[in-house]
Amino acid sequence: MSIIEARGLTKSFVQAVKEPGLKGALKHLIVPRNITKVAVHPLDLSIETGETVAYVGPNGAGKSTTIKMLSGILKPSGGSISVNGINPYKKRMENAAGIGAVFGQRTQLWWDIPIVESFSLLKDIYEIPDHVYRNNLEQFIELLGMNEFIHLSARKLSLGQRMRADLAAALLHNPPIVYLDEPTIGLDVSVKQKIREFIKKINQEQQTTVMLTTHDLGDIEDLCKRLIIIDHGMIIYDGSLSEVKSRFARSRVIFFQVGSPMPELFAELDQTPGIRLTLQNEQEFSVAFDRYEYTASDVVSRVMRHGEVIDFRMEDANIEQVIKAVYDGNLDLNLNQQAQ
Amino acid sequence: MSAIPLKKYRSIANRSLQNVLAYRTSYVIGFLANTVNLLAIYFLWQGIYSGRSEVGGYTWDQMKTYLLVTFLANSVLSWYSETSISGKILDGSVAIDLLKPLDFQSARFSETLGASLLEGGMSAVLLTIFASFLSGITLPHSPLVYALFLLSLLGAILVKFGVVYLAALLCFWSTGSMGIVWTRIAVTNLLSGALVPLAFFPDWLERLALWLPFQSIIHTPTMIFLQQTGTAESLKLIALQAFWGIALWFAGKAMWNWAVRQVTIHGG
């Protein structure tokens, strides 16, 4: 069995419907009207030991709700879950011992006592053996560069420092599974890099299963081999990152800088299906095309027929654009059916 | 519970104590505020007693002692402990606690005990200094009374925690805690004897108060300290505290189990 497995997992919430204004509020007090909102439609999920999975979707898509159900703090409305072979909701404490979690918006560190004291409390809470604790602490301090702030209280830390400390706190007990909910939110590039490298290392060395929700596409490209996209409480894609790229990131863009304006070329390209021209000015423009229909050399030689090319550079569509398209609802990502 | 899991909770109590130390300035300010309050009540009662030797069966000297003991019993459970649990529920950080292999109620109780130990200790020291300036405080002579008194203070913490915990859980259904906190404080102060000794109440109210758990918080320790109860009677009162403490504990457990099933945890 997979380390994380969910079958037909659903969650719905009851929401109060209030009409606007005082009248509506009073009316609700007397005759409350509620609607049931489905946050997560029945979904199936299986994640194997050692996988790194990006779980992405727009705000309110049901990401956090799923993670909360998997981590045992929210009771599912239906379906079954097994994490490390146990039902996380029924055996919350047992499940908690085998997982680590970072919720980027919250901290598990004590606000007013030194970070290292929070850590040693975790040692007792998770009953971490002395040598494991010492090794991990030493290694984490070095990898995450925590030496300068380990003796400060969480209150005094910058966001980047706090996030590093929180990440260390979540992994001190060598959990087989770690849920990271936006672990790089609001961080600068160098801290992001540190955190990603740390996660990668832990995953490789300890076969830690990582489930990551993020809006940062750099995190995904850097860390995850598998991508799950959820929208409106439904999984709309579950597969490898490279597959989604080759399937949906078909567009390729070449930016040109040319010696003189090329009106004929512009007219010609405008007529060509599958090619989109974007003019920056008379001598700088970009050409977007489907890389399965045209080759880059086709496009470049076409342009060169019309005059001198001073410079050009090429960009492949990245996962960012794909996910953006999905968020915007422009792309029907029914990949499972297409693949079958 | 075996010895090993207890270590977790002892460790939590220890960190909570450190946390209070970090807040020492705010503790001192809080203590000063309470002192002003105590002085106001002291002078109020002094006014009531002028020209009278006894009110409701209490002499002025006994009343002074009553006020000091009330002050001590009230300060062992700080404002911080009283509001931190509801705070966790309101801001959603209860989610973080649920991710720990810890029993939520036991962990909160450990925190409360850790803080109480320090705050109670500091209050006791300051009160002793304060009392040495007052004449006529009636101190018990028997060490047994002190032992019983300490036990009853522990009982008081347990019962007060039970009340605080149940009230905090109500915050799962409300979006603000102030109303709940103030109501709880008002009810507790009245029915525990913190405002006036229960003996001053009309008969029916006194009987009602004695039937409720609140009297364990102030009434019991003051009765024991003032030696208005014999040893056997004191032990009975402490047993009653234990009963209420345990009953409220299980009520809290039941309500928690129900609440986490029912209610969405606030925030993402």
Side-chain angles (χ1 to χ4, degrees):
Chain A
M1 192 148 85
S2 314
I3 191 162
I4 298 178
E5 196 152 312
R7 290 279 160 265
L9 185 64
T10 68
K11 181 71 197 177
S12 29
F13 296 104
V14 175
Q15 275 183 338
V17 189
K18 290 182 191 170
E19 285 162 37
L22 182 63
K23 205 177 131 200
L26 282 174
K27 200 171 151 197
H28 183 79
L29 205 63
I30 299 158
V31 204
R33 206 155 61 83
N34 296 316
I35 51 163
T36 306
K37 189 178 167 265
V38 181
V40 175
H41 291 276
L43 66 78
D44 295 334
L45 201 65
S46 33
I47 294 171
E48 305 300 325
T49 305
E51 272 197 290
T52 45
V53 179
Y55 193 51
V56 297
N59 292 326
K63 288 184 308 241
S64 291
T65 307
T66 319
I67 299 281
K68 279 179 185 164
M69 288 193 285
L70 291 177
S71 55
I73 63 181
L74 199 61
K75 188 189 181 190
S77 305
S80 66
I81 324 177
S82 148
V83 173
N84 281 324
I86 54 178
N87 180 329
Y89 185 74
K90 291 220 170 94
K91 299 192 169 169
R92 178 184 68 81
M93 303 227 308
E94 203 180 314
N95 175 64
I99 62 168
V102 175
F103 289 156
Q105 319 270 26
R106 302 191 186 286
T107 181
Q108 60 162 308
L109 304 162
W110 284 58
W111 208 233
D112 289 292
I113 61 176
I115 301 299
V116 68
E117 287 290 323
S118 284
F119 286 173
S120 68
L121 175 61
L122 291 171
K123 173 182 182 294
D124 289 338
I125 289 179
Y126 289 102
E127 296 164 28
I128 309 170
D130 286 336
H131 65 281
V132 175
Y133 176 73
R134 266 198 309 275
N135 283 347
N136 278 354
L137 188 62
E138 205 174 292
Q139 197 194 3
F140 291 2
I141 287 177
E142 196 198 313
L143 286 174
L144 290 165
M146 296 193 295
N147 237 330
E148 44 186 302
F149 58 83
I150 189 104
H151 294 287
L152 298 178
S153 58
R155 178 186 292 282
K156 296 190 179 111
L157 302 191
S158 70
L159 181 63
Q161 291 172 331
R162 204 215 78 207
M163 206 67 106
R164 280 181 274 169
D166 254 314
L167 190 62
L171 289 162
L172 275 174
H173 58 295
N174 291 341
I177 299 172
V178 57
Y179 301 108
L180 304 171
D181 193 0
E182 307 204 31
T184 59
I185 193 166
L187 302 185
D188 69 44
V189 182
S190 82
V191 176
K192 268 185 193 169
Q193 202 50 43
K194 259 204 186 94
I195 284 184
R196 288 174 192 164
E197 266 157 30
F198 179 74
I199 296 169
K200 234 187 268 181
K201 199 169 156 75
I202 296 291
N203 167 255
Q204 279 162 7
E205 282 180 3
Q206 314 207 1
Q207 284 292 297
T208 306
T209 308
V210 179
M211 191 155 177
L212 174 83
T213 75
T214 183
H215 291 287
D216 188 308
L217 298 140
D219 287 350
I220 302 173
E221 298 225 29
D222 234 23
L223 289 172
C224 302
K225 294 197 182 69
R226 180 165 159 202
L227 177 70
I228 298 176
I229 305 178
I230 183 171
D231 197 11
H232 299 296
M234 279 176 281
I235 290 182
I236 52 175
Y237 177 78
D238 181 357
S240 77
L241 185 62
S242 52
E243 193 181 340
V244 78
K245 269 168 118 177
S246 68
R247 223 171 245 277
F248 297 103
R250 299 170 68 121
S251 102
R252 180 172 267 185
V253 186
I254 306 182
F255 296 85
F256 288 96
Q257 194 186 349
V258 291
S260 54
M262 300 172 169
E264 309 88 21
L265 173 77
F266 297 160
E268 182 191 319
L269 289 180
D270 264 343
Q271 303 298 313
T272 321
I275 287 190
R276 207 175 69 248
L277 174 75
T278 313
L279 283 176
Q280 237 135 30
N281 57 48
E282 289 290 278
Q283 279 159 282
E284 281 174 26
F285 56 91
S286 65
V287 180
F289 59 96
D290 184 328
R291 67 188 165 107
Y292 294 109
E293 267 182 67
Y294 301 93
T295 64
S297 64
D298 280 345
V299 177
V300 175
S301 61
R302 267 207 208 192
V303 176
M304 283 167 77
R305 252 181 273 141
H306 290 271
E308 185 200 3
V309 173
I310 297 171
D311 194 13
F312 73 90
R313 79 192 146 82
M314 189 163 75
E315 245 177 41
D316 268 337
N318 51 22
I319 190 69
E320 187 157 352
Q321 286 154 342
V322 176
I323 291 174
K324 191 174 177 304
V326 177
Y327 286 3
D328 294 344
N330 295 334
L331 196 59
D332 186 15
L333 250 184
N334 232 331
L335 196 87
N336 286 333
Q337 277 152 25
Q338 289 184 24
Q340 278 153 13
Chain B
M1 213 184 284
S2 69
I4 303 156
L6 265 183
K7 192 177 174 200
K8 303 176 178 182
Y9 298 103
R10 216 170 49 224
S11 210
I12 294 175
N14 170 300
R15 297 311 181 284
S16 169
L17 203 150
Q18 291 189 30
N19 208 37
V20 178
L21 277 175
Y23 273 117
R24 55 192 174 277
T25 325
S26 91
Y27 174 75
V28 169
I29 293 172
F31 191 86
L32 284 177
N34 286 340
T35 310
V36 172
N37 210 3
L38 177 68
L39 282 175
I41 293 171
Y42 179 85
F43 289 122
L44 177 72
W45 281 107
Q46 199 177 33
I48 293 171
Y49 271 96
S50 70
R52 266 171 247 188
S53 61
E54 215 182 87
V55 177
Y58 282 77
T59 66
W60 174 224
D61 282 348
Q62 281 177 318
M63 189 45 116
K64 275 189 270 192
T65 316
Y66 188 92
L67 292 178
L68 290 184
V69 175
T70 301
F71 186 73
L72 177 66
N74 252 345
S75 62
V76 286
L77 215 122
S78 66
W79 177 252
Y80 167 77
S81 309
E82 292 195 36
T83 49
S84 72
I85 302 171
S86 45
K88 272 176 186 295
I89 291 167
L90 285 174
D91 71 11
S93 53
V94 60
I96 298 286
D97 291 297
L98 283 171
L99 287 169
K100 293 272 156 4
L102 288 173
D103 175 52
F104 185 77
Q105 192 178 15
S106 309
R108 301 292 80 74
F109 185 59
S110 311
E111 269 174 31
T112 305
L113 269 188
S116 298
L117 210 66
L118 189 77
E119 304 195 333
M122 278 162 78
S123 300
V125 170
L126 289 166
L127 274 180
T128 314
I129 297 169
F130 193 69
S132 63
F133 289 104
L134 292 176
S135 63
I137 301 292
T138 41
L139 293 176
H141 295 292
S142 149
L144 178 66
V145 175
Y146 286 97
L148 288 171
F149 175 65
L150 273 181
L151 259 180
S152 72
L153 274 185
L154 276 178
I157 293 176
L158 185 66
V159 174
K160 193 166 177 186
F161 174 79
V163 174
V164 167
Y165 188 72
L166 278 171
L169 292 186
L170 286 178
C171 294
F172 270 120
W173 289 273
S174 90
T175 42
S177 69
M178 273 307 149
I180 292 172
V181 169
W182 287 117
T183 310
R184 193 201 72 230
I185 289 176
V187 170
T188 310
N189 276 346
L190 180 70
L191 294 175
S192 67
L195 287 178
V196 291
L198 297 187
F200 288 21
F201 284 171
D203 206 31
W204 64 270
L205 188 58
E206 187 186 355
R207 221 168 310 146
L208 176 71
L210 288 175
W211 273 105
L212 292 171
F214 304 102
Q215 50 97 9
S216 289
I217 300 169
I218 303 288
H219 178 71
T220 301
T222 50
M223 290 311 254
I224 291 173
F225 197 81
L226 287 171
Q227 292 174 280
Q228 296 189 344
T229 53
T231 309
E233 181 72 7
S234 302
L235 283 172
K236 222 169 87 189
L237 283 175
I238 291 170
L240 190 64
Q241 285 184 318
F243 164 77
W244 277 121
I246 291 164
L248 288 170
W249 182 271
F250 282 105
K253 205 172 215 46
M255 185 158 156
W256 164 261
N257 284 338
W258 193 65
V260 280
R261 270 174 179 72
Q262 292 290 313
V263 184
T264 327
I265 285 147
H266 299 298

